Amino acid sequence: MMDNVDKLVQGWVQEQKIPGGVLSVTIKNKFQFFKAYGAYSDGKELKSMALDTIFDLASLTKVVSTLPAILTLAAADKLSLEHKVKTYIPSFNQDQVTIRHLLMHSSGLPADLPAEPRSMQGRRVLDDVLKQELLSPAGQQVVYSDLGMILLGEIISTVSGESLEQYVRKAVFEPLGMTDTRFNPDEAVRTRTAATEFVDEAYIVGEVHDEKCYHLGGVSGSAGLFSSIFDLAKYADFWLDSEKGGIIPLPFIQAALSKPLLNRGLGWEVLGDPQAIPYSCGTLWGQGSFGHTGFTGTSLWIDPSRELIVVFLTNAVHFGRNNPIRHLRRQLHDEIFSSLFHS
């Protein structure tokens, strides 16, 4: 059933389009496929990918850490999605922007800050974010923004009275049994962490690839999380089967996926017309599917109607930033869908 998918990913590795990766495809209670492909260099030796390899999730952090943390706080009446950001961050000078706007990437904030190298000393990222002016009024346009998610990380810390790292571990990862998911992996975990990019004469191993998060100490609402294929499969299964109860009440789960603005729900990208926007899940998945990607090469997609979960973790930036992962993801998801449902 998965022969064509298997050959496809094997081919990418052989053609050096990606160094390797780990793929999980599941249909609830019906089908499971887990496989590791390829290898990577840590600068000293070539290491084979394994099912327990840890990956830098990059922007998957937004939906695996920041989104559930905000929703757990909202469910506990610690905050409201309609509250102004300024309520929690008084130095933020945009009165119209709410927590909901940040989650839906409709705040009007720019997508990013000017790039700065990892070697830059003393960069104050949060101060730079707070200085940004809106490009459009809040709620009118969708501009995918790291900056809004960085602000959400600060709100989580303020409201919970803990660091983002501490709160999300207790509120999300531990209850879901996600034992491999963390910010700033320790040395023991780094030995099985896939190296990302070659920067400043060395591969980045076990340190966040994203420069803003790096300057924030490796913990932010936009990036910084590391995890494994099994942990992300657990997390995705929670979203697929949230009616059984868990860390977030069902109404909050439903609200995250309903009434998207353009292609954005709360945190997640929610599929509308697959022909209108080049979704990373390709052209065959059904409306209402939802997912997210990460710049390093990671992705997670869920089709609730078919109970399908696909998690693909790769360190595509190992070969540099000008890599074909965006095209490859769409091809992969189309092939998976065809293999499972059109064969």
Side-chain angles (χ1 to χ4, degrees):
M1 185 179 288
M2 296 294 287
D3 288 351
N4 288 341
V5 173
D6 197 37
K7 290 176 184 176
L8 184 68
V9 181
Q10 293 276 23
W12 294 342
V13 173
Q14 291 167 4
E15 296 161 14
Q16 294 196 320
K17 292 181 177 179
I18 57 172
V22 184
L23 175 63
S24 164
V25 181
T26 60
I27 301 175
K28 194 165 186 67
N29 300 323
K30 297 177 184 176
F31 179 80
Q32 275 193 336
F33 176 89
F34 289 88
K35 188 165 181 179
Y37 301 86
Y40 61 91
S41 172
D42 64 1
K44 299 177 183 178
E45 60 180 328
L46 199 63
K47 293 188 174 184
S48 296
M49 295 289 188
L51 292 180
D52 67 347
T53 297
I54 302 294
F55 290 84
D56 179 342
L57 298 186
S59 284
L60 279 187
T61 302
K62 296 175 172 69
V63 292
V64 178
S65 171
T66 308
L67 171 63
I70 286 288
L71 294 181
T72 58
L73 291 170
D77 290 325
K78 299 290 182 65
L79 57 75
S80 166
L81 301 188
E82 314 312 325
H83 283 169
K84 302 292 179 63
V85 173
K86 193 174 179 66
T87 303
Y88 305 100
I89 307 177
S91 53
F92 184 64
N93 61 3
Q94 306 296 340
D95 292 337
Q96 58 185 301
V97 178
T98 66
I99 291 174
R100 182 182 298 277
H101 290 140
L102 297 185
L103 282 173
M104 297 185 75
H105 297 280
S106 62
S107 65
L109 284 166
D112 210 341
L113 297 173
E116 296 287 356
R118 295 169 70 85
S119 57
M120 179 181 179
Q121 299 295 317
R123 185 180 192 188
R124 301 177 66 85
V125 172
L126 182 58
D127 288 348
D128 289 345
V129 173
L130 293 172
K131 292 174 185 175
Q132 300 303 304
E133 296 296 328
L134 300 187
L135 302 179
S136 61
Q140 290 192 5
Q141 297 183 25
V142 172
V143 174
Y144 178 80
S145 175
D146 278 2
L147 310 191
M149 288 290 171
I150 290 172
L151 293 176
L152 287 172
E154 293 298 312
I155 291 171
I156 292 163
S157 182
T158 297
V159 173
S160 69
E162 303 176 87
S163 69
L164 171 62
E165 181 177 18
Q166 291 170 328
Y167 179 76
V168 75
R169 184 179 68 248
K170 293 194 300 185
V172 180
F173 306 149
E174 289 180 357
L176 294 181
M178 298 168 65
T179 56
D180 271 338
T181 307
R182 69 201 72 193
F183 294 92
N184 289 321
D186 57 27
E187 286 299 322
V189 175
R190 288 188 186 195
T191 60
R192 56 187 175 100
T193 299
T196 53
E197 195 175 9
F198 192 76
V199 177
D200 297 331
E201 305 303 317
Y203 284 106
I204 302 170
V205 182
E207 289 186 342
V208 63
H209 177 262
D210 180 86
E211 289 88 355
K212 296 185 299 301
C213 184
Y214 178 79
H215 290 298
L216 285 164
V219 181
S220 80
S222 64
L225 206 59
F226 288 74
S227 190
S228 68
I229 198 83
F230 293 121
D231 271 16
L232 288 189
K234 288 178 185 176
Y235 181 70
D237 191 60
F238 158 71
W239 279 86
L240 184 62
D241 202 15
S242 53
E243 288 190 21
K244 288 186 176 179
I247 58 172
I248 303 167
L250 182 58
F252 288 87
I253 295 288
Q254 293 171 331
L257 303 172
S258 61
K259 298 181 181 178
L261 179 61
L262 190 57
N263 62 327
R264 288 286 165 184
L266 298 179
W268 297 104
E269 187 173 16
V270 181
L271 195 150
D273 180 358
Q275 306 300 327
I277 297 174
Y279 289 91
S280 60
C281 65
T283 60
L284 302 178
W285 286 49
Q287 290 193 7
S289 297
F290 59 99
H292 210 281
T293 64
F295 185 78
T296 49
T298 59
S299 67
L300 185 164
W301 273 92
I302 301 167
D303 183 340
S305 66
R306 294 176 174 84
E307 298 186 308
L308 171 65
I309 295 171
V310 174
V311 185
F312 185 49
L313 302 181
T314 178
N315 54 339
V317 293
H318 198 60
F319 291 158
R321 301 190 180 198
N322 186 25
N323 62 71
I325 190 61
R326 291 188 178 185
H327 166 72
L328 300 182
R329 282 194 195 110
R330 292 192 284 271
Q331 191 178 354
L332 174 68
H333 286 80
D334 277 348
E335 188 60 60
I336 289 170
F337 194 94
S338 293
S339 296
L340 293 175
F341 303 110
H342 291 168
S343 57

